[in-house]
Amino acid sequence: MVFWFNSDRERGRVFAEAFARDLPDLPFVMDISERDPEEIRYILTWTTPPDLHRFRNLEIVFCIGAGVDQFKTETLPSNVMLVRMVEDGIVRMMQEYVTLAVLALHRNLKAYIGQQADATWRSLPVRQAAQQRIGILGLGMLAQAVIERLKPFGFPFAAWSRSEQHFDGVDCYHGPGGLTPFLARTDILICLLPLTKDTQGLLDGELFAALPAGAALVHVGRGAQLDHDALIAALDEGHLSGAVIDVTEPEPLSPEHVFWRHPKITLTPHIASATQPETAARAVIDNIKRHRDGLDPIGLVDRNRGY
Ligand code: OXD
């Protein structure tokens, strides 16, 4: 029984130490060339490795990231579990990034950076937090953690999810029928949805039109959810006031892409959050122990839902 770490060596070294300390009976390898593929029980990887059928005794594929849309799930045998990364480092970094983005939009930071470049000393109108309605697309673990981090500022919160959910202090909307009323009460929209066939292209012209005039977007979901032309049109018409974008399709964007220089867009290169090896190794080890005890791993992907 062997664990194959199929990712970068730097993080692999941290994982190897943690496995040697906390799971010494499970051989940990980064190079499988000298191993019989039938020995491999667990793989940690970003996406589906080639020739997966070689691993006839595979039990769990752990994704090194939080999102699993890059996996070809149809090539994973149905008895193999796919587990997304649920670990404190990803959560903490996402909380930091979304807080940074929301506060930057709330307090007009991009406009002030522009004014500084022009040596302009002028104050801009500012809403109080109690009037700045935040709406989160998605109510999974990351969205809930982001809400908890932002709560002390006093913003009113709503969230939209595919199926009905409840979360303390948040107006919860769900399903196709809940989307329009959710958008109508949202001044800063945060997209934290997984990429599925239903969320592909969701951030389009129709969705932007359903937001109140002056609304802004924070996009930390997946690039393929956003229609770039529709966003530019909504910003240039003045319907949207700003956007903070961390994910795009493709990544990276070409140097000519309009997002780089748009005065209302803050663009970052998919850095909102990243798997931290110390906390991720702990999470994977705990999941292997759960699996050995006959429990489902935390982060088990529902293949029908796609996340
Ligand atoms: C992830 C990511 O899925 O980096 O973890 O986007």
Side-chain angles (χ1 to χ4, degrees):
M1 205 194 272
V2 171
F3 183 99
W4 176 28
F5 183 93
N6 180 34
S7 190
D8 61 289
R9 299 219 151 234
E10 208 175 307
R11 285 192 285 196
R13 275 191 287 278
V14 179
F15 268 75
E17 258 176 48
F19 271 68
R21 188 181 56 237
D22 297 332
L23 217 48
D25 62 327
L26 180 62
F28 177 98
V29 296
M30 289 199 247
D31 179 3
I32 49 155
S33 59
E34 283 156 26
R35 288 286 182 168
D36 176 353
E38 298 199 1
E39 287 181 283
I40 307 294
R41 292 297 155 88
Y42 307 105
I43 303 180
L44 183 136
T45 179
W46 167 246
T47 189
T48 323
D51 304 330
L52 200 68
H53 59 270
R54 292 177 293 157
F55 306 106
R56 295 201 327 183
N57 294 312
L58 186 61
E59 290 178 11
I60 306 186
V61 172
F62 291 100
C63 177
I64 184 101
V68 291
D69 50 280
Q70 66 282 11
F71 278 88
K72 295 186 200 72
T73 42
E74 65 289 354
T75 65
L76 273 187
S78 54
N79 62 315
V80 174
M81 294 189 237
L82 176 61
V83 177
R84 69 199 151 75
M85 186 59 76
V86 179
E87 64 95 3
D88 292 350
I90 292 184
V91 175
R92 189 179 35 73
M93 289 184 75
M94 189 57 86
Q95 288 177 311
E96 287 172 4
Y97 184 94
V98 176
T99 303
L100 176 78
V102 164
L103 293 181
L105 291 165
H106 175 55
R107 298 303 305 267
N108 300 312
L109 188 63
K110 180 96 177 156
Y112 284 117
I113 290 171
Q115 287 192 183
Q116 181 180 352
D118 298 342
T120 301
W121 188 274
R122 184 178 64 224
S123 56
L124 301 169
V126 60
R127 273 187 196 163
Q128 293 305 296
Q131 270 79 56
Q132 188 77 278
R133 297 162 299 174
I134 309 280
I136 306 207
L137 284 167
L139 196 44
M141 189 249 317
L142 286 177
Q144 294 183 11
V146 161
I147 293 170
E148 290 299 354
R149 185 59 87 238
L150 282 169
K151 261 186 185 168
F153 292 103
F155 300 114
F157 283 103
W160 178 86
S161 52
R162 185 174 150 275
S163 52
E164 189 168 358
Q165 292 202 50
H166 298 281
F167 193 66
D168 216 25
V170 177
D171 287 340
C172 293
Y173 297 78
H174 70 276
L179 189 57
T180 308
F182 160 79
L183 294 168
R185 55 69 61 209
T186 291
D187 300 310
I188 297 182
L189 179 68
I190 301 164
C191 178
L192 255 166
L193 288 168
L195 179 64
T196 65
K197 61 179 180 7
D198 296 329
T199 67
Q200 171 120 12
L202 181 74
L203 303 175
D204 63 3
E206 200 184 326
L207 180 141
F208 296 140
L211 290 164
L217 172 69
V218 177
H219 186 29
V220 282
R222 280 287 188 252
Q225 291 161 338
L226 176 64
D227 177 337
H228 293 189
D229 293 341
L231 176 65
I232 294 299
L235 290 167
D236 288 350
E237 282 157 13
H239 181 62
L240 293 189
S241 58
V244 178
I245 307 292
D246 185 56
V247 286
T248 60
E249 177 64 41
E251 289 178 2
L253 291 176
S254 71
E256 301 75 42
H257 196 282
V258 58
F259 280 9
W260 289 110
R261 279 164 283 275
H262 196 283
K264 292 184 180 170
I265 292 181
T266 302
L267 179 66
T268 52
H270 199 144
I271 47 72
S273 185
T275 299
Q276 299 304 301
E278 289 80 7
T279 35
R282 177 76 273 138
V284 172
I285 289 168
D286 287 350
N287 262 340
I288 291 174
K289 289 184 176 166
R290 284 177 69 87
H291 178 58
R292 286 177 171 180
D293 290 344
L295 299 170
D296 275 348
I298 294 176
L300 180 62
V301 172
D302 175 338
R303 303 260 194 112
N304 294 324
R305 284 189 328 192
Y307 58 94

